[in-house]
Amino acid sequence: MSFTIEERGKPNTQEYRVFFKNSEGKYISPFHDIPMYADESENIFHAVIEVPRWTNAKMEISTKDPLNPLKQDIKKGNLRYVANVFPHRGYIWNYGAIPQTWEDPGHKDGDTGCCGDNDPIDICDIGSKVCSRGEVIKVKVLGTLALIDEGETDWKVIVINVEDPEAKDFNNIGDVKRLKPGYLEATVDWFKRYKVPDGKPENQFAFNGDFKDKDFAIDTVKSTHGFWKTLISQKTAAGGLSCMNTCISDSPSFCSNADAKSAVDATSSFGDEAPIPSTVDKWYYYEKN
């Protein structure tokens, strides 16, 4: 199964979008139409890369737009770029989401005591390859971190691309500690402090910031897949989320290829990219608490 992207609008503007197509050239939703599993028998999952490692633009699956293209998050009317909080330059992993998952904002997690953040579950790919925006990779789940982001449960699942040359050596969170020392500590530090330059307090974590192992993480992913099933079947209120899809024929939000094309055609044509603000290169320095 392969996927391609189609860019619309001018990169680095609020009109920029990245739409997805399957191997048949049909427009699809990366939220709903890409299967969660790449190989269910081996617990291999698909992951959609939203933000390549070392970049700053806060791209994300647009859960409220038709077909859920990637777009850049907007805060206070401006495009959002994640600050460089020393010593971290942009995102320190390939960052993205597992399709066909949903962190239900109406469900209070028994472990964290907080409800979900209304998004697909996030992944941090620790492989050596720097992926491209919109790339769909196959990953092994290694563990997870329970971020509490402004009172919401926001799981960060640690994964590795199965095509990484070292993937065979990584099978649980302990392998990351052993083979990439300092990476997990840097991950906690990144998520703790990345919003501080915006004037917000440091983020908190469940489990005292400890990572849970592979089995716990896989169970967490599977539970969010269950929540997604209730969403796509409209057994749970969508709350403004777009469930428009082209592959799930029994979904109330299933649409034709023509309707999907119309949704894409309604956006701006692809154009030359706008310059990235020079402020994105600024560094921020804080003492660790």
Side-chain angles (χ1 to χ4, degrees), residues 250-272:
D250 60 348
S251 164
S253 300
F254 176 77
C255 75
S256 67
N257 294 338
D259 287 340
K261 186 176 185 304
S262 294
V264 176
D265 289 344
T267 61
S268 303
S269 299
F270 183 63
D272 295 334

Side-chain angles (χ1 to χ4, degrees), residues 227-247:
F227 297 139
W228 171 82
K229 286 181 177 179
T230 66
L231 175 69
I232 200 67
S233 63
Q234 291 189 1
K235 293 178 181 177
T236 297
L241 302 187
S242 173
C243 292
M244 184 179 184
N245 68 85
T246 61
C247 298

Side-chain angles (χ1 to χ4, degrees), residues 80-101:
R80 183 179 171 195
Y81 294 89
V82 166
N84 303 308
V85 180
F86 187 81
H88 310 304
R89 178 68 171 90
Y91 285 70
I92 62 174
W93 349 253
N94 296 303
Y95 188 74
I98 295 178
Q100 296 188 340
T101 64

Side-chain angles (χ1 to χ4, degrees), residues 36-246:
M36 179 180 77
Y37 282 112
D39 185 342
E40 185 172 359
S41 65
E42 297 293 328
N43 277 322
I44 303 299
F45 298 85
H46 282 120
V48 177
I49 300 302
E50 299 164 316
V51 187
R53 183 187 290 117
W54 312 135
T55 64
N56 301 73
K58 182 68 174 75
M59 301 295 297
E60 59 188 12
I61 291 174
S62 179
T63 56
K64 296 183 178 181
D65 288 355
L67 291 180
N68 313 117
L70 299 187
K71 73 175 184 180
Q72 193 165 348
D73 189 23
I74 298 172
K75 291 291 185 183
K76 297 180 180 178
N78 297 313
L79 293 174
R80 183 179 171 195
Y81 294 89
V82 166
N84 303 308
V85 180
F86 187 81
H88 310 304
R89 178 68 171 90
Y91 285 70
I92 62 174
W93 349 253
N94 296 303
Y95 188 74
I98 295 178
Q100 296 188 340
T101 64
W102 179 53
E103 296 191 66
D104 184 353
H107 171 78
K108 181 178 288 189
D109 187 274
D111 290 306
T112 68
C114 298
C115 294
D117 72 345
N118 207 28
D119 285 325
I121 199 166
D122 297 319
I123 62 97
C124 302
D125 165 44
I126 66 166
S128 56
K129 174 186 176 182
V130 176
C131 292
S132 58
R133 179 184 297 164
E135 187 173 351
V136 180
I137 62 175
K138 300 174 182 179
V139 300
K140 290 197 292 186
V141 168
L142 305 176
T144 189
L145 178 68
L147 174 66
I148 306 301
D149 190 351
E150 298 183 30
E152 297 175 330
T153 302
D154 191 2
W155 294 102
K156 306 300 179 184
V157 182
I158 308 302
V159 304
I160 189 166
N161 190 336
V162 297
E163 296 183 358
D164 190 274
E166 297 180 331
K168 66 181 186 304
D169 299 323
F170 289 84
N171 297 293
N172 210 326
I173 200 69
D175 296 324
V176 186
K177 295 177 182 177
R178 179 171 55 88
L179 298 171
K180 292 183 182 263
Y183 207 169
L184 295 181
E185 292 82 356
T187 295
V188 172
D189 185 62
W190 195 98
F191 282 117
K192 179 184 290 186
R193 301 195 291 155
Y194 80 105
K195 289 186 176 181
V196 173
D198 298 328
K200 295 184 178 180
E202 292 184 351
N203 277 321
Q204 304 299 312
F205 305 89
F207 312 113
N208 296 316
D210 292 334
F211 288 80
K212 306 301 286 186
D213 67 11
K214 174 185 71 175
D215 291 340
F216 185 101
I218 289 175
D219 285 345
T220 300
V221 173
K222 289 180 178 178
S223 71
T224 61
H225 181 55
F227 297 139
W228 171 82
K229 286 181 177 179
T230 66
L231 175 69
I232 200 67
S233 63
Q234 291 189 1
K235 293 178 181 177
T236 297
L241 302 187
S242 173
C243 292
M244 184 179 184
N245 68 85
T246 61

